[in-house]
Amino acid sequence: MGEVVVSPKSLKEFTTEVLIKVGMPAEDAALVADTLVMADVRGVSSHGIVRLPFYVNKMKLGGTKIRPKIQVVKEGPSSALVDGGHGMGQVVASFAMNLAIKKAKETGVSLVGVKASEHFGAAAYYASMAARQDMIGIAWSNGPPVMAPWGGRAAAIGNQPLAIVAPTKGEPMALDMAMSVVAGGKVRLAAKTGQKIPKDWIVNKHGRASEDPSDLPEGALLPLGYKGYGLAVMGEVLSSVLTGAGILSEVCSWLFNPTKATNTGHVMAAINIAHYIPVDDFKARMEQMRNELVNCPKAEGVDRIYVPGEIENEREAVRSKGFAVSEAVFGDLQKLAAEYDVKIGFVID
Amino acid sequence: MGEVVVSPKSLKEFTTEVLIKVGMPAEDAALVADTLVMADVRGVSSHGIVRLPFYVNKMKLGGTKIRPKIQVVKEGPSSALVDGGHGMGQVVASFAMNLAIKKAKETGVSLVGVKASEHFGAAAYYASMAARQDMIGIAWSNGPPVMAPWGGRAAAIGNQPLAIVAPTKGEPMALDMAMSVVAGGKVRLAAKTGQKIPKDWIVNKHGRASEDPSDLPEGALLPLGYKGYGLAVMGEVLSSVLTGAGILSEVCSWLFNPTKATNTGHVMAAINIAHYIPVDDFKARMEQMRNELVNCPKAEGVDRIYVPGEIENEREAVRSKGFAVSEAVFGDLQKLAAEYDVKIGFVID
C-alpha cells in the first residue's frame, strides 16, 4: 500500500475546518486538530489523524456532544470537579488542565477531576500544557475495559493511560504510558499481518497466555505484571471512583458504540515548581539527572540510553516538516473533504 | 534454621524502648517501631524488624540524626518543602504527610516535597495515614542507585517505591510497588540458596540479562520494562529534582555507608475526597469497582483475583496475633536487648 506525505500545518487547518463544519466552535476545532496532528508528529500515530473519521462519526451520531456544556460542579482552592457534558475528551481535558494550572498558580499544586468526558487521545498533550507553564503536569484517564485484571481472562479494566511531563531547558521530559504490556493496536496489526506475538501480550478466552493475536477479541490484553494491574486499578480510583465517571464496565467503547456517551473520567494535576525550588535550579537539576542516566554504561547491543519522551521529541523535530499517512487513511480524509466540502491542501508532492 | 514467634504488640514496645535508649524522642521511637512491626505484620518483612539493627547502627555512627531539626523551608496554601534534617525517614515522612493532610483539609489537595531525609521503609505506611482521614494518599521516594536505566548495564537509579492508598468501607486499598521487576532482596536470597533466577530480573556487568543471582553486585536490577524505567525517572523528578534532595548517584546506600547522610527525597500527596464526591459515595463506588474486578472470569490455574493490598490486609488479620522471625533476626534483637538493657518480652512460647 502506498503512502501520502502531508504537511502538519496544512493538515491541522484542514482538520479544523472539517470540525467547524461538523459544528464545533472554532477554538475547540483547532484544539482537537492540534492534538491529532501533534500525536502524528510525535510518532504516536495510533492517537493521530487516523482517529478523525471515528470522532466525526460519533459526533454525527450524537455519542459525543459537538457543543458540550462543560461545568465546574464543585470547587476548592486547589481542587475542582468538572462535568464534561459528554464533549470531545480533548476539549474537556484541556478545560480541566487549564483550570488545574490556574489553581496551581495560586496554591502551589492542584488536582482537577473530570467526569462525563470522552476519549482524549494522547495523555501527554494535557500534561505538557502544565510543563509549558513551568509546572509538572500529570494526566490520568480510565477507558473502556480492554485489559484483564492480574489473574483474570476477560477484559475488565481500561489500560489507563498516564502521562507525567516536566519542563527542562529544552523540550519537556514526557512519560506517556498505558498499563498493558502493549496497546491493542499492536495486537490487531499482528493479526492482520499473520504474525505471532510474544506470550505476555494477551490472554485467550480459556485463560491461557496466547501467541495468536486473533485470540484478542474474545480474550484480553495483559497488564504489565501485577504492578501494572495495581497501577491500572489506582488509575480507576482517581479518574473514575473519585470523579463520578463510569466505573469499569460502565465505560463503553467509544470506537464500537458511536451512539453512546462513554462517561470517561480523568484527573489533571499541576505542580507549580516555583513553589518548591527556583525554576532555573529545577531545570539545571533535570539536566544533571538526564546526563547521568544517558551516560550510564550500555547493555549489549544498545546504542543509546534515552530519557522519557526523548525519542518522541526527536521525531517531532523531523516529522514537523512532513509525515506520511497510509493510502487508507488518506482515503478517509478524502471522504471527509467531500462530505464537508473542505479543500485538501495538505499533500506534499 | 529455627524460628521464634513474636507478639507484635510487645515487639513494638521493645523496639520503642531500644530507640528511646538510643536517644530518640519517645514519640519518634514509637512511630519507627510501629512502621517496622506493621511491615512484618503485613508480610513485607524486607521492611520489617530485620532493619532495626541497621537503623540503630547508622544513628550511632552519625549517618542518621537521632534528634533531627525538621523544618518547613517553603510553604504555599497547598504546597510545602520540608528539610528532614537527616533524621530517620519514617519520622520525616510522617511529618510531611501530616502536613499534607492538614493542607488538603483546607484546600482539597496538597503535595509536600521532602529533602535531607533517609530510608523510610514501607511507602504504604505514609499513604495510609491519608486514607485514615478519608483522603487518597500518595507517597513516592527516590533511593540509592540499584537499577539500570532501560538499555543500561549499571545501577544508576533507585527502584523508586510508590504507594497509592485509598479508603474503603473496610481496610484501605493499598498499592505499594517499586519500579524494578523484583526487589534486590529476592535476588540476594536466590544467591544464598544457589537458585537460578528468571532472565528479566537482573543485568550482569557485561550488559547481558543473567540467570545467575551472584551477578547482581557488579550488575544491576532491571526495571519493569521501559515503562517501569520511565516511572522511575519521573519518581526521581518529583522526589528529588523538585525537592533539592540528592539526585541519582548523590544518594548513597543507607545500608553500606552508615556514616553518611543519604539525602533521600520524597513527595507526599493528599487528595481530600469530600472536595470531589461525598465520602460515602466514594466508598460505595470503591466496593462496586472491587466486586467487578474480583469477579472477573479467572485465568487457568488462578483461584482468586485480588485488588491491591488485599493480600497484605488478609495477612495482617492473621499475623497481628503473632508472626515468626528467623533465629538470625532474633539473635540481632538479643544483642540490642543486651546493649541497651531492654527486656525481651515479646516471645510467644
Side-chain angles (χ1 to χ4, degrees):
Chain A
M1 221 158 59
E3 286 185 330
V4 176
V5 178
V6 302
S7 147
K9 189 170 163 291
S10 308
L11 180 60
K12 217 184 287 180
E13 287 161 7
F14 168 84
T15 305
T16 304
E17 220 181 313
V18 168
L19 291 170
I20 289 173
K21 292 233 169 139
V22 170
M24 288 185 86
E27 203 187 334
D28 293 357
L31 169 72
V32 173
D34 192 47
T35 67
L36 294 176
V37 176
M38 184 56 77
D40 271 315
V41 163
R42 291 178 66 80
V44 191
S45 295
S46 54
H47 292 308
I49 198 69
V50 63
R51 300 297 203 188
L52 181 62
F54 299 95
Y55 287 139
V56 168
N57 185 47
K58 197 166 184 213
M59 281 191 277
K60 272 169 57 185
L61 295 174
T64 305
K65 292 276 171 280
I66 299 171
R67 292 178 170 260
K69 191 174 165 194
I70 303 177
Q71 287 176 289
V72 179
V73 290
K74 205 163 162 58
E75 196 166 12
S78 64
S79 68
L81 180 63
V82 168
D83 181 321
H86 307 292
M88 290 283 288
Q90 292 83 348
V91 176
V92 177
S94 296
F95 176 94
M97 184 52 98
N98 277 324
L99 184 57
I101 290 168
K102 185 168 156 266
K103 287 179 177 289
K105 274 191 184 152
E106 290 159 14
T107 68
V109 59
S110 66
L111 185 132
V112 174
V114 180
K115 64 176 173 179
S117 186
E118 290 285 314
H119 186 257
F120 70 11
Y125 189 90
Y126 315 101
S128 299
M129 292 167 62
R132 280 195 294 276
Q133 306 286 324
D134 286 335
M135 300 185 182
I136 298 168
I138 302 174
W140 208 349
S141 184
N142 76 346
V146 292
M147 197 171 80
W150 187 247
R153 71 166 189 265
I157 187 165
N159 61 2
Q160 321 294 64
L162 166 67
I164 308 179
V165 180
T168 73
K169 287 180 189 174
E171 291 298 304
M173 189 177 290
L175 175 73
D176 193 345
M177 60 179 274
M179 304 308 162
S180 49
V181 177
V182 294
K186 271 201 182 174
V187 181
R188 284 187 286 269
L189 186 66
K192 263 191 194 167
T193 55
Q195 284 173 301
K196 277 214 306 191
I197 53 172
K199 236 186 164 165
D200 61 345
W201 284 15
I202 67 167
V203 61
N204 68 18
K205 66 177 173 180
H206 306 295
R208 282 179 225 125
S210 169
E211 296 176 316
D212 180 354
S214 68
D215 280 340
L216 178 61
E218 291 183 287
L221 292 173
L222 281 170
L224 188 67
Y226 66 90
K227 295 182 180 187
Y229 165 59
L231 281 169
V233 174
M234 289 304 167
E236 190 78 14
V237 169
L238 285 165
S239 63
S240 147
V241 177
L242 180 69
T243 64
I247 293 176
L248 301 173
S249 64
E250 290 174 350
V251 181
C252 68
S253 166
W254 63 276
L255 212 50
F256 303 120
N257 295 286
T259 59
K260 228 183 125 192
T262 59
N263 196 11
T264 301
H266 326 300
V267 280
M268 302 284 155
I271 299 161
N272 191 344
I273 291 163
H275 269 68
Y276 298 86
I277 193 171
V279 170
D280 285 347
D281 289 6
F282 179 87
K283 290 181 178 176
R285 291 167 63 79
M286 285 293 285
E287 195 163 275
Q288 179 187 339
M289 181 188 74
R290 178 193 174 273
N291 287 344
E292 205 170 308
L293 288 170
V294 302
N295 290 312
C296 175
K298 283 156 206 64
E300 199 175 59
V302 172
D303 290 329
R304 189 173 153 191
I305 293 171
Y306 292 88
V307 293
E310 210 160 33
I311 293 176
E312 291 81 4
N313 288 345
E314 293 183 5
R315 278 196 205 128
E316 185 176 336
V318 176
R319 289 168 63 96
S320 59
K321 291 164 198 142
F323 62 87
V325 299
S326 72
E327 271 183 3
V329 169
F330 183 64
D332 284 344
L333 297 178
Q334 284 178 307
K335 274 183 222 154
L336 286 173
E339 187 176 352
Y340 291 102
D341 190 24
V342 180
K343 231 178 151 164
I344 292 187
F346 54 75
V347 178
I348 300 176
D349 291 322
Chain B
M1 219 157 63
E3 285 184 331
V4 176
V5 178
V6 303
S7 146
K9 189 169 164 290
S10 308
L11 179 60
K12 216 183 290 179
E13 287 161 6
F14 168 85
T15 305
T16 305
E17 219 180 316
V18 167
L19 292 169
I20 289 172
K21 292 231 168 141
V22 170
M24 288 184 85
E27 202 186 333
D28 292 357
L31 170 72
V32 173
D34 192 47
T35 67
L36 294 175
V37 175
M38 184 55 78
D40 271 315
V41 162
R42 290 179 67 80
V44 192
S45 294
S46 54
H47 292 308
I49 197 69
V50 62
R51 300 296 203 188
L52 182 61
F54 299 93
Y55 286 139
V56 168
N57 185 47
K58 198 168 182 208
M59 280 191 276
K60 272 169 59 185
L61 295 173
T64 305
K65 292 277 171 282
I66 300 170
R67 291 176 171 263
K69 191 174 165 193
I70 304 176
Q71 286 177 289
V72 179
V73 290
K74 204 163 164 57
E75 197 167 11
S78 63
S79 68
L81 180 63
V82 168
D83 181 323
H86 307 292
M88 290 283 287
Q90 292 81 350
V91 175
V92 177
S94 296
F95 176 93
M97 185 51 99
N98 277 325
L99 183 57
I101 290 168
K102 186 170 156 266
K103 286 178 177 293
K105 273 189 186 155
E106 289 159 15
T107 68
V109 60
S110 66
L111 184 130
V112 175
V114 180
K115 64 177 172 178
S117 185
E118 291 285 314
H119 186 257
F120 71 11
Y125 189 90
Y126 315 101
S128 299
M129 291 166 62
R132 280 195 293 277
Q133 306 287 325
D134 285 335
M135 299 184 184
I136 299 168
I138 302 175
W140 209 349
S141 184
N142 76 347
V146 292
M147 198 169 81
W150 187 247
R153 70 167 190 266
I157 188 165
N159 60 4
Q160 321 294 63
L162 166 67
I164 307 178
V165 181
T168 73
K169 287 181 189 173
E171 292 297 306
M173 189 177 291
L175 174 72
D176 193 347
M177 60 178 275
M179 303 309 161
S180 50
V181 177
V182 295
K186 270 201 182 173
V187 181
R188 285 187 286 270
L189 186 67
K192 263 190 194 168
T193 54
Q195 284 173 303
K196 278 215 302 192
I197 54 172
K199 238 190 162 163
D200 62 345
W201 285 16
I202 67 167
V203 61
N204 67 17
K205 65 178 173 180
H206 306 295
R208 282 181 223 121
S210 170
E211 296 177 317
D212 180 354
S214 68
D215 280 339
L216 179 60
E218 291 183 287
L221 293 174
L222 280 170
L224 188 67
Y226 66 90
K227 295 182 179 187
Y229 164 59
L231 282 169
V233 174
M234 289 304 166
E236 191 78 14
V237 169
L238 285 165
S239 63
S240 147
V241 177
L242 180 69
T243 65
I247 293 176
L248 300 174
S249 63
E250 290 174 350
V251 181
C252 67
S253 166
W254 62 277
L255 211 50
F256 302 120
N257 295 286
T259 60
K260 228 185 125 195
T262 58
N263 196 12
T264 301
H266 326 301
V267 279
M268 301 283 155
I271 300 161
N272 191 345
I273 290 163
H275 269 68
Y276 297 85
I277 194 172
V279 170
D280 286 346
D281 288 6
F282 179 87
K283 290 181 179 176
R285 291 168 63 80
M286 285 293 285
E287 195 165 275
Q288 178 188 338
M289 181 189 72
R290 178 194 174 273
N291 287 343
E292 205 169 309
L293 288 169
V294 303
N295 290 313
C296 176
K298 284 157 205 62
E300 198 175 59
V302 172
D303 289 330
R304 189 174 154 189
I305 293 171
Y306 292 87
V307 291
E310 209 161 34
I311 293 175
E312 291 81 4
N313 287 345
E314 292 182 6
R315 278 196 204 128
E316 185 177 337
V318 176
R319 288 168 63 96
S320 60
K321 291 163 197 141
F323 63 86
V325 299
S326 71
E327 270 181 3
V329 169
F330 183 64
D332 285 343
L333 297 178
Q334 282 178 310
K335 274 183 221 154
L336 285 173
E339 188 177 350
Y340 291 100
D341 190 24
V342 179
K343 231 177 151 163
I344 291 186
F346 54 74
V347 178
I348 299 176
D349 293 323

